[in-house]
Amino acid sequence: MKEFFLGRLTQDSLPHDWVTVGGTGTFIAMFLFAALILTRTKRWKWLWNDWLTSVDPKKIGIMYFLTAAFMLIRGGIDVILMWVQQALSSGSSHGILSADHYQQIFTAHGNIMVFFVAMGFIFGLINYIVPLQIGARDLASPLLNTLGFWLYIGGVVMVNMFFVLGGQYAATGWLAVAPLSGIAFSPGTGVDYWIWSLQISGIGTTLGAINFIMTILKMRAPGMTIWKMPLFTWGSLFSMLMAVAVFPLLTATLFLQFFDRYFGAHFFTALGGGDPMMYTNLIWMWGHPEVYILMLPAFGIFSEVVATFSRKPIASYTANVLGMAGVSALALSVWLHHFFTMGASADVNAFFGLITLVIAIPTAVLFFTWIATMHRGLIRFDTPMLWFLGFVTIFTIGGVSGLILAFPPADFQLHNSLFLVAHFHSNVIGGVLFGIFAGISYWFPKFTGFRLNERIGRNAFWCWIIGFCLSFVPMYILGIMGATRRLDHYDAQTGYQPFFILMLIGGLVIAVGVGLQIIQIVASIIQKGNLRDATGDPWNGRTLEWATASPPAFYNFTVIPHVITRDAFLDMKRLGLPEPHYEDITMPKNTAVGIYIAALAFLVGFAFVWHINWLAVVAMIGIIIVFVIRAFNEDSEYVVTAEEVKSIEEARIAATAAITKKSGAMSEQEDMSVREFVIYVYDFAIDIIRNKKWKSW
Amino acid sequence: MKSSLSAKQKNNPSLGRTLLRLGTGLSAFGLLIAMLLRGKNIAILDAKGTIASQQRGLIFYVLTVILAIAVPTVILLYFTAWRYRESHSTATYHPEAKTGKAFIVAIWALPTFVMLLLAIALVPATHKLQPNKALASSTPPITIQVMAMRWKWLFIYPDQQIATVNYVQIPKDVPIVFDLTADEAPMSSFWIPNLSGQLYAMTGHINRLNLMASENGDYRGRSAEINGAGFAGMQFTARVSSKQDFESWVDMTKQSASTLDKATYQTLVKPSENNAVTAFYPVDDSLYADTVMKYMGSHDHQMTAQTQHEGMY
Ligand code: HEM
Ligand SMILES: [Cu+2]
């Protein structure tokens, strides 16, 4: 009876080891704290109505950013644990973690960074910026979008669920290759959490991608032909096309693995006539494109940044777009380079090696278009541009190492070594993450109405660069010394230890960089009067997102612009902005359907993790019911009348005028330095303590 | 349009100072790394076998060709960025500058040319260094059957009738044929970086790895692919010795070791970590083939125990 209701959940399922319990405590404390603040300030309703149920892609974008930033820190703590373990665990010392625990941590690290940090930020940026860039008021399907977001959140919760129940995550590496991830070798709930975390968020990605493809293809402002689209929109389009092509493959693979584990099927188990090599193939057919799904929007961001800060249109726009198209198409067909070492014939290996080489051609073309864009420009080096230069440096290192790995015989030596790990971190950090940082510092004034503190931003940038070199140069060297990835312990005679210690030091420098980024945001908020941008266009932008207010009104544009050339907003500035006239605007209504479905989907996953069959069935029926109810709901839009638009716009213009007047006097003040920030916080704290200000809380 | 940021432009440190700092930092770092590397075995560069040294040669070829284009490109990018910086008023700002047809052709042609240089090396190298390709030599090869288990390596010398755990000895300058498989273990990867690149060891398959050592010594080997809790300890020593030493080692092993029959094997195959070196003699003849066949029961793969697996391709 108990088993029927609770499946395999027992008291033993609660976590006991100290790191996990610490994590659990931290999570619970944070949630209680947030709940306390919300209750004190009576903000629950506001949270639900204004944010959680919102279908505004800008708000969803912000929610993606916050979640991804939180997960970056969560995944970062994993990294620190891994670095410390590897720095210590040599010879007779075994470090701070058991092998099994160490393996869970790097698995969680990989999943969190790829799915919940990189994907989260990229989806956040696409949500916020793409509709603005194409001159749209909302999305092709606002419902799909919020559903996609909430499924992502479902995945986030699932990946952290083991803190609460089960106490263990998959110990298999981020792709959980078979047969290691099969029930025979991984009997616990860890792999099940892995499956359902990726399954839920992966389905969300597919839905989100379908929506953005439709939005980009169907909802562009009049005059914006496909060859006039901004490059970030292009990058996002290619990325989403790839996502639609390969995420269903991930979904299928995860289902097959689930059948193996849950129902004892034998798709991927050799003894029952299945084939583990098929798993490797399937997962990489999705896995390789996945890294490019992250990279293409980042390419787009860099193109925007280079053009804006060089004050020139992107050179050879067509070549740039074709370059991205080439990368995307080829990225779908190189997956086998991830397992040259599985023993395929020389012809097969050579074929996939060759296509991998070909990918470098369109990538190089992108580089050349950026150089040509800077040529004869008037270049400013604000932080987005610094991230670009950092990207160029580190991504080149990653590309060179990638080309070495593209040679099957060279890969036999370097596969699974730390050289490989250094390769993809060069690209994922130097390419994707720096792209995200460039994008966030570039569009931050759009999100908030004030720009980021430049001084602290520069400090953070240098910490990232120096920290990266300190930790990843040793990693390349360790790979060449024959150190494999995922070692929780190594012999003292290997001589690896000094390099692992260097890596730890580099990691701490990066951690300081992250700390500075947090300080940068807080300092910018403190100084926001001074950093205010009332124009909506702080960088002399070229594309339509800069034509809106900062932050934009919920309907984005009062008047949908007519696009003449690629630099649509630059034209508007040259030719004079259109006189605002006000018209009725139809907007989608907020809806909680996404939350309900995602919560139910989460329950399905949870039920399968713990073998609570009735709950899985109930939750699945629940999903169907919610869908049906929603399908009969005709009333999903509302009209903002011209009158209302007028009063909103006039209020904004008045507020802007007031700010412009005020900030005029202050704009000479410099951005605060880290030191000034520390003094400010210190004074602030002293003030609270001296004057007993907490009493009024 | 005047930008709200123009007040911030003084934040431009001089190029000379930046370069100096960068140069000092990089040289200090390089020096440190060089010091730390002194006397260490840099396995992939310190190749001690014919295959490993060819693989090293290939890595250097690729590196040279790519760096020949990548370094100038990156320097050109830095140089352009610096030359057209805002504070450098003598450079001509020309927002309408267009790129010509020649430029477009060049930016596609140049990387294509470099990739061609790489491609003509890739195909022959891949065929030449295909792991299952027999090595040309006047000496007949020695076959060693390798089984990955949780979490140890079992080496069976079918001709010598001996077997060892986590230790393999081979004679110098003699072609060695490793036939890799696995039993009751997830995919593992067999790697002795000083001697040759790695290859997966999988249940129900035989992957063949040929190599030939060219210098005596003890080299590290291990599983490079994660396969569970005992992964880090799944390592072995590969000793390369003279032919005589090899033969006397075989003889010695025959005298001191115990038998490896099916019963002993059943205990051996159970999961265990950080296993000590052990040796067996004699070894059940059918052990290896039976283990491979065990996983091929319902398979439609037609495979004899000696063919290289060609996968599903
Ligand atoms: C010129 C471009 C590139 C080339 C030639 C290249 C080549 C390769 C090759 C051959 C491998 C397989 C190595 C092995 O497993 O032995 C690999 C692995 C990988 N690459 Fe790249 N790559 C390139 C760019 C990128 C980019 C842009 C990203 C990410 C944004 C990336 C991310 C990865 C990841 C995540 C892995 C392996 C992950 C794992 O095994 O866990 N690569 N790359
Ligand atoms: Cu790949």
Side-chain angles (χ1 to χ4, degrees):
Chain A
M1 202 53 194
K2 194 159 154 237
E3 191 168 334
F4 175 79
F5 282 112
L6 290 178
R8 295 189 181 165
L9 267 178
T10 60
Q11 212 142 45
D12 289 344
S13 313
L14 294 169
H16 358 258
D17 97 276
W18 63 271
V19 182
T20 320
V21 172
T24 316
T26 317
F27 266 108
I28 293 176
M30 271 185 313
F31 277 108
L32 287 180
F33 186 64
L36 184 74
I37 292 184
L38 285 167
T39 313
R40 288 292 304 207
T41 53
K42 303 210 167 56
R43 287 280 186 151
W44 284 104
K45 254 217 166 92
W46 162 83
L47 181 70
W48 180 260
N49 291 334
D50 277 24
W51 287 91
L52 304 186
T53 58
S54 174
V55 291
D56 182 346
K58 297 184 287 301
K59 287 197 169 151
I60 291 179
I62 300 282
M63 290 194 286
Y64 267 117
F65 293 150
L66 294 177
T67 316
F70 185 60
M71 284 296 109
L72 178 65
I73 293 164
R74 158 78 177 79
I77 293 169
D78 284 346
V79 187
I80 302 278
L81 284 173
M82 283 152 61
W83 264 320
V84 170
Q85 170 72 12
Q86 290 196 307
L88 296 179
S89 183
S90 174
S92 58
S93 158
H94 282 259
I96 52 170
L97 302 167
S98 69
D100 182 50
H101 199 161
Y102 178 76
Q103 293 170 354
Q104 292 177 40
I105 290 180
F106 67 64
T107 307
H109 161 72
N111 290 146
I112 287 175
M113 289 303 190
V114 171
F115 287 91
F116 305 120
V117 178
M119 286 297 263
F121 275 122
I122 291 291
F123 261 94
L125 285 167
I126 294 178
N127 259 284
Y128 206 110
I129 299 301
V130 164
L132 293 172
Q133 278 200 332
I134 61 174
R137 286 206 173 112
D138 62 53
L139 302 173
S141 168
L143 179 65
L144 272 192
N145 195 41
T146 129
L147 179 53
F149 170 73
W150 284 105
L151 288 170
Y152 160 82
I153 296 290
V156 169
V157 178
M158 190 65 88
V159 84
N160 289 302
M161 216 25 225
F162 70 93
F163 277 119
V164 185
L165 284 174
Q168 53 160 339
Y169 192 63
T172 53
W174 72 291
L175 291 180
V177 287
L180 177 57
S181 56
I183 197 80
F185 298 123
S186 301
T189 49
V191 174
D192 301 307
Y193 276 135
W194 178 86
I195 289 178
W196 288 100
S197 167
L198 265 61
Q199 191 64 295
I200 294 170
S201 63
I203 292 172
T205 301
T206 311
L207 298 179
I210 293 172
N211 179 36
F212 278 105
I213 292 172
M214 293 194 306
T215 304
I216 295 172
L217 294 182
K218 292 274 178 215
M219 314 255 311
R220 297 192 306 276
M224 184 181 280
T225 62
I226 203 146
W227 290 103
K228 287 181 190 161
M229 291 195 325
L231 288 164
F232 175 64
T233 301
W234 266 117
S236 305
L237 176 62
F238 287 131
S239 159
M240 296 293 103
L241 284 170
M242 277 196 281
V244 169
V246 299
F247 265 82
L249 216 59
L250 174 70
T251 306
T253 313
L254 293 175
F255 269 126
L256 294 182
Q257 182 60 289
F258 164 67
F259 287 145
D260 273 14
R261 289 181 62 85
Y262 202 83
F263 299 115
H266 288 287
F267 292 104
F268 303 132
T269 43
L271 259 186
D275 190 352
M277 294 193 300
M278 186 166 79
Y279 182 95
T280 311
N281 259 288
L282 287 171
I283 203 79
W284 280 116
M285 278 162 123
W286 158 83
H288 180 86
E290 162 64 14
V291 299
Y292 279 88
I293 288 170
L294 298 171
M295 201 54 227
L296 272 127
F299 283 149
I301 293 170
F302 287 125
S303 296
E304 305 280 356
V305 165
V306 172
T308 307
F309 290 93
S310 306
R311 296 179 229 186
K312 272 183 73 206
I314 193 86
S316 320
Y317 172 94
T318 317
N320 189 302
V321 174
L322 291 180
M324 287 196 280
V327 170
S328 320
L330 290 165
L332 297 176
S333 42
V334 295
W335 75 93
L336 192 132
H337 67 208
H338 292 276
F339 46 97
F340 285 143
T341 47
M342 201 143 86
S345 71
D347 286 328
V348 171
N349 278 351
F351 174 78
F352 281 91
L354 283 178
I355 315 184
T356 307
L357 291 186
V358 178
I359 283 209
I361 299 173
T363 315
V365 168
L366 291 177
F367 266 66
F368 289 121
T369 65
W370 293 324
I371 297 179
T373 307
M374 292 195 290
H375 183 72
R376 298 196 148 189
L378 194 60
I379 307 171
R380 278 178 30 178
F381 293 97
D382 299 289
T383 34
M385 200 61 186
L386 288 189
W387 289 117
F388 168 73
L389 291 176
F391 150 75
V392 167
T393 315
I394 294 178
F395 192 80
T396 304
I397 299 172
V400 169
S401 56
L403 285 168
I404 295 175
L405 292 170
F407 280 68
D411 182 72
F412 296 155
Q413 277 288 32
L414 297 166
H415 176 60
N416 270 335
S417 75
L418 286 175
F419 184 94
L420 160 73
V421 179
H423 154 70
F424 70 79
H425 281 86
S426 301
N427 291 329
V428 175
I429 294 180
V432 178
L433 202 61
F434 282 17
I436 288 164
F437 291 157
I440 287 183
S441 48
Y442 177 54
W443 283 306
F444 193 85
K446 184 54 47 189
F447 305 151
T448 59
F450 55 95
R451 63 177 175 77
L452 278 173
N453 180 311
E454 274 285 307
R455 268 169 95 173
I456 304 179
R458 274 161 201 273
N459 298 340
F461 169 79
W462 283 109
C463 282
W464 268 98
I465 294 286
I466 293 169
F468 185 90
C469 292
L470 277 179
S471 69
F472 286 88
V473 170
M475 197 187 272
Y476 277 113
I477 292 172
L478 278 170
I480 293 171
M481 291 170 79
T484 48
R485 68 197 296 190
R486 296 165 173 165
L487 288 176
D488 56 275
H489 179 260
Y490 47 91
D491 290 351
Q493 307 94 289
T494 53
Y496 299 159
Q497 195 168 28
F499 295 95
F500 278 118
I501 292 174
L502 265 185
M503 276 166 59
L504 173 63
I505 296 171
L508 294 177
V509 177
I510 294 179
V512 172
V514 174
L516 286 174
Q517 286 174 304
I518 297 171
I519 292 180
Q520 181 195 23
I521 292 177
V522 179
S524 311
I525 295 172
I526 293 172
Q527 266 196 323
K528 76 178 175 203
N530 188 33
L531 301 171
R532 180 86 61 191
D533 158 55
T535 59
D537 177 28
W539 317 111
N540 196 6
R542 321 176 72 83
T543 39
L544 281 180
E545 74 269 28
W546 303 109
T548 62
S550 293
F554 61 92
Y555 43 77
N556 291 356
F557 298 89
T558 350
V559 185
I560 295 289
H562 277 260
V563 174
I564 309 165
T565 70
R566 275 169 204 154
D567 293 314
F569 181 49
L570 210 62
D571 292 337
M572 285 163 69
K573 285 188 278 190
R574 276 199 204 114
L575 304 172
L577 301 173
E579 263 312 298
H581 67 270
Y582 303 112
E583 57 191 20
D584 289 0
I585 296 175
T586 310
M587 295 300 294
K589 274 190 186 162
N590 285 0
T591 169
V593 168
I595 301 184
Y596 297 149
I597 294 181
L600 290 166
F602 175 84
L603 280 185
V604 174
F606 183 82
F608 280 135
V609 171
W610 289 103
H611 294 246
I612 314 175
N613 294 327
W614 66 266
L615 181 60
V617 174
V618 169
M620 283 192 270
I621 294 172
I623 293 179
I624 296 170
I625 293 175
V626 177
F627 259 118
V628 171
I629 294 178
R630 169 72 193 190
F632 285 104
N633 177 5
E634 314 260 285
D635 178 32
S636 62
E637 292 185 332
Y638 70 107
V639 173
V640 191
T641 62
E643 272 306 297
E644 288 170 289
V645 176
K646 183 163 180 242
S647 69
I648 294 172
E649 288 296 310
E650 278 170 358
R652 182 179 64 79
I653 292 166
T656 311
I659 292 164
T660 324
K661 241 203 220 138
K662 222 168 75 199
S663 66
M666 293 169 67
S667 61
E668 287 311 305
Q669 197 187 323
E670 282 243 10
D671 289 6
M672 176 187 273
S673 68
V674 178
R675 203 169 143 247
E676 286 158 356
F677 173 80
V678 173
I679 294 172
Y680 180 94
V681 172
Y682 178 76
D683 289 347
F684 186 77
I686 291 289
D687 178 50
I688 288 177
I689 295 169
R690 286 248 171 83
N691 301 323
K692 304 210 160 55
K693 284 203 171 155
W694 68 81
K695 288 201 168 153
S696 63
W697 293 345
Chain B
M1 268 249 158
K2 193 177 166 289
S3 120
S4 59
L5 280 186
S6 41
K8 304 232 57 281
Q9 285 315 311
K10 49 186 121 124
N11 220 339
N12 255 340
S14 89
L15 180 73
R17 259 220 338 263
T18 312
L19 282 183
L20 193 71
R21 267 196 218 160
L22 221 71
T24 323
L26 283 180
S27 345
F29 189 47
L31 219 67
L32 175 68
I33 298 268
M35 256 170 53
L36 293 179
L37 277 175
R38 269 212 351 228
K40 301 258 163 87
N41 173 15
I42 311 168
I44 293 173
L45 302 186
D46 294 343
K48 305 290 192 216
T50 49
I51 299 289
S53 51
Q54 290 179 68
Q55 286 168 328
R56 175 188 60 194
L58 184 66
I59 292 174
F60 278 123
Y61 171 78
V62 186
L63 195 62
T64 317
V65 175
I66 315 173
L67 288 183
I69 175 174
V71 171
T73 308
V74 172
I75 290 180
L76 178 68
L77 192 144
Y78 290 149
F79 175 75
T80 315
W82 173 71
R83 186 178 144 94
Y84 294 99
R85 69 196 184 278
E86 187 177 45
S87 53
H88 186 219
S89 46
T90 50
T92 43
Y93 172 46
H94 197 345
E96 308 300 325
K98 287 268 180 304
T99 49
K101 277 223 174 62
F103 173 78
I104 302 286
V105 174
I107 64 175
W108 287 95
L110 186 65
T112 307
F113 172 71
V114 176
M115 290 311 132
L116 271 177
L117 282 185
L118 292 179
I120 52 174
L122 187 144
V123 179
T126 304
H127 279 95
K128 184 153 171 238
L129 294 173
Q130 173 69 0
N132 66 350
K133 202 173 142 204
L135 296 176
S137 168
S138 49
T139 346
I142 297 179
T143 298
I144 303 176
Q145 297 164 334
V146 183
M147 278 155 79
M149 300 173 179
R150 277 179 299 163
W151 286 279
K152 60 215 155 240
W153 294 97
L154 174 66
F155 299 91
I156 302 175
Y157 294 68
D159 297 333
Q160 287 74 12
Q161 287 260 311
I162 60 168
T164 48
V165 172
N166 284 355
Y167 178 89
V168 62
Q169 184 159 344
I170 56 172
K172 182 168 96 100
D173 294 327
V174 175
I176 310 292
V177 180
F178 286 110
D179 277 337
L180 313 175
T181 190
D183 193 14
E184 298 189 16
M187 272 186 206
S188 307
S189 192
F190 179 82
W191 191 27
I192 314 171
N194 284 99
L195 301 183
S196 128
Q198 67 200 277
L199 201 61
Y200 286 177
M202 302 179 284
T203 51
H205 293 282
I206 297 170
N207 259 344
R208 177 167 285 187
L209 179 76
N210 289 277
L211 61 77
M212 187 152 75
S214 55
E215 215 174 291
N216 292 349
D218 280 359
Y219 306 112
R220 283 173 185 287
R222 57 165 299 111
S223 171
E225 174 88 6
I226 176 138
N227 53 8
F231 163 67
M234 190 167 161
Q235 44 185 348
F236 60 93
T237 303
R239 172 165 297 170
V240 177
S241 64
S242 69
K243 222 169 162 181
Q244 290 100 327
D245 284 355
F246 173 73
E247 265 143 28
S248 52
W249 170 74
V250 172
D251 290 339
M252 237 174 59
T253 307
K254 283 186 179 169
Q255 276 150 39
S256 61
S258 55
T259 29
L260 182 59
D261 51 23
K262 290 256 156 74
T264 328
Y265 181 78
Q266 284 315 318
T267 2
L268 186 64
V269 81
K270 295 222 170 73
S272 57
E273 295 181 27
N274 299 309
N275 291 71
V277 174
T278 350
F280 299 99
Y281 171 79
V283 178
D284 186 326
D285 277 341
S286 58
L287 197 63
Y288 182 80
D290 286 355
T291 306
V292 177
M293 292 313 291
K294 181 167 107 188
Y295 292 93
M296 298 187 13
S298 59
H299 259 220
D300 37 15
H301 289 232
Q302 283 304 311
M303 224 175 339
T304 68
Q306 290 303 312
T307 53
Q308 162 85 12
H309 151 65
E310 295 280 327
M312 11 187 309
Y313 312 101

